[in-house]
Amino acid sequence: MLEAKNLYSYYGKSPVLQDISFLLEKGQLLTVLGRNGVGKTTLMRSFMGLTDRLDGSLTIEGTEIARMRTPDRAMLGIGYIPQGRHIIPRLTVRENIIMGTYARRDGKRGMPDLVFELFPILRDFLDRRGGDLSGGQQQQLAIARALAMDPKILILDEPTEGIQPNIVKQIHDIIVRLNRELGLTVILVEQNVPFAREVSDRFLVIDKGRVVIAGAGADLTDDIAERYLTF
C-alpha cells in the first residue's frame, strides 16, 4: 500500500529525516513513536509533500509520489490530519467538511453518512463556525473533513494531544473502528504506548531523524518505551 525506501526529507539544506524505509500493507495500522523533535511530524509532512525536498522513493500502490505535488497526493487517496488540527476557523462545520470532498476521486460533494455516524454532534453544529468549537470537537471535525475525501490511507499526527480524556477515548475507539471494521489503512503518531501496542500491526520508533527500532505492535516493549520515549 505504502512503501518508503531510503527516504531523506529536508528543510532547507538540512536533512531532518535520513534513510527511512518501511512497508505498510493495505489495511494495516502503523504507529510512529519517538520523543518530541525527533522527526515524527516531518515524516507525516513528507508523505504529503510539505517539506522543502524529498529524496529516495515513496510509493502508494506502486505509484511513485516522492516528487508529486501535494494536491495530487491527496487525489490518490491520502487523508492527513495534522498536529494542531488546522480546521478553518471562519468556515462553518459544513464548509470545513465539504472542503474535504474536493479531493475525492469520484467528484461527489455531499457529506458522507459515515461522518455523522462517527461524530453525531457535528450534525448539530453544521452552521457553527469551526473556530467556535472546543478542542475535542475541532479534532472530530478535522477527522470528519479527512474522511469526506474517501481516503485510502489516513494519517493522524497526535490526534489526542491536548484533548479532554473522554474525547481521547472516543477518538481512539474511532481510529480502531476505521482500521479494523472498515479496513482503512492508518498511520498514527501516538505517545500512548499501551494503546499503540494494542492496536498497531507495525510500529516505528524515530530518534534523531532515523528509524532506530521497527517491528510488530506486540513487540513494542516497556524497555523500548523507556529507552526511546522517556525524557
Side-chain angles (χ1 to χ4, degrees):
M1 186 68 175
L2 183 71
E3 185 173 14
K5 292 182 179 178
N6 309 118
L7 209 60
Y8 288 74
S9 192
Y10 294 78
Y11 289 125
K13 296 182 179 180
S14 301
V16 179
L17 298 178
Q18 302 177 57
D19 202 22
I20 303 287
S21 297
F22 67 87
L23 173 65
L24 179 64
E25 297 181 0
K26 185 176 181 179
Q28 287 189 328
L29 191 153
L30 170 71
T31 302
V32 180
L33 305 105
R35 298 184 181 92
N36 292 337
V38 298
K40 304 185 302 296
T41 291
T42 297
L43 180 58
M44 303 303 107
R45 289 174 59 82
S46 298
F47 295 145
M48 297 306 300
L50 297 173
T51 60
D52 292 338
R53 193 176 101 216
L54 194 64
D55 292 340
S57 174
L58 182 64
T59 60
I60 176 172
E61 295 185 323
T63 299
E64 179 62 62
I65 68 170
R67 275 148 290 282
M68 272 189 184
R69 299 180 311 129
T70 298
D72 295 332
R73 299 184 195 208
M75 292 296 292
L76 284 176
I78 305 178
Y80 177 45
I81 299 102
Q83 190 177 30
R85 299 176 281 277
H86 291 198
I87 58 102
I88 309 301
R90 290 184 176 273
L91 297 185
T92 65
V93 167
R94 185 193 311 274
E95 289 166 339
N96 269 279
I97 295 172
I98 292 297
M99 280 184 60
T101 67
Y102 284 89
R104 289 184 68 102
R105 297 169 297 284
D106 58 12
K108 293 181 179 179
R109 295 292 177 261
M111 289 181 287
D113 292 338
L114 176 63
V115 163
F116 301 117
E117 181 183 342
L118 296 175
F119 307 113
I121 195 171
L122 294 181
R123 189 187 297 274
D124 298 329
F125 293 160
L126 281 175
D127 296 316
R128 185 175 297 187
R129 286 186 176 184
D132 294 335
L133 303 183
S134 70
Q137 291 163 354
Q138 288 185 12
Q139 187 62 279
Q140 293 178 46
L141 176 57
I143 297 172
R145 181 178 60 188
L147 291 176
M149 65 173 287
D150 190 28
K152 297 178 181 179
I153 299 174
L154 192 64
I155 299 172
L156 304 104
D157 191 351
E158 298 205 32
T160 59
E161 182 182 39
I163 293 177
Q164 55 267 44
N166 62 315
I167 302 296
V168 168
K169 184 179 187 309
Q170 180 185 358
I171 289 174
H172 277 168
D173 290 346
I174 285 169
I175 291 169
V176 172
R177 181 180 175 188
L178 290 171
N179 175 246
R180 294 183 178 173
E181 293 185 20
L182 303 181
L184 191 59
T185 306
V186 174
I187 301 175
L188 173 67
V189 175
E190 178 61 61
Q191 298 289 3
N192 186 322
V193 174
F195 175 71
R197 183 186 297 126
E198 176 186 353
V199 304
S200 302
D201 295 294
R202 307 289 302 171
F203 77 92
L204 303 175
V205 177
I206 295 180
D207 190 40
K208 298 178 182 178
R210 295 180 179 271
V211 174
V212 289
I213 294 182
D219 298 330
L220 180 56
T221 64
D222 291 338
D223 288 342
I224 292 173
E226 178 71 23
R227 183 175 180 183
Y228 292 106
L229 305 180
T230 57
F231 294 91

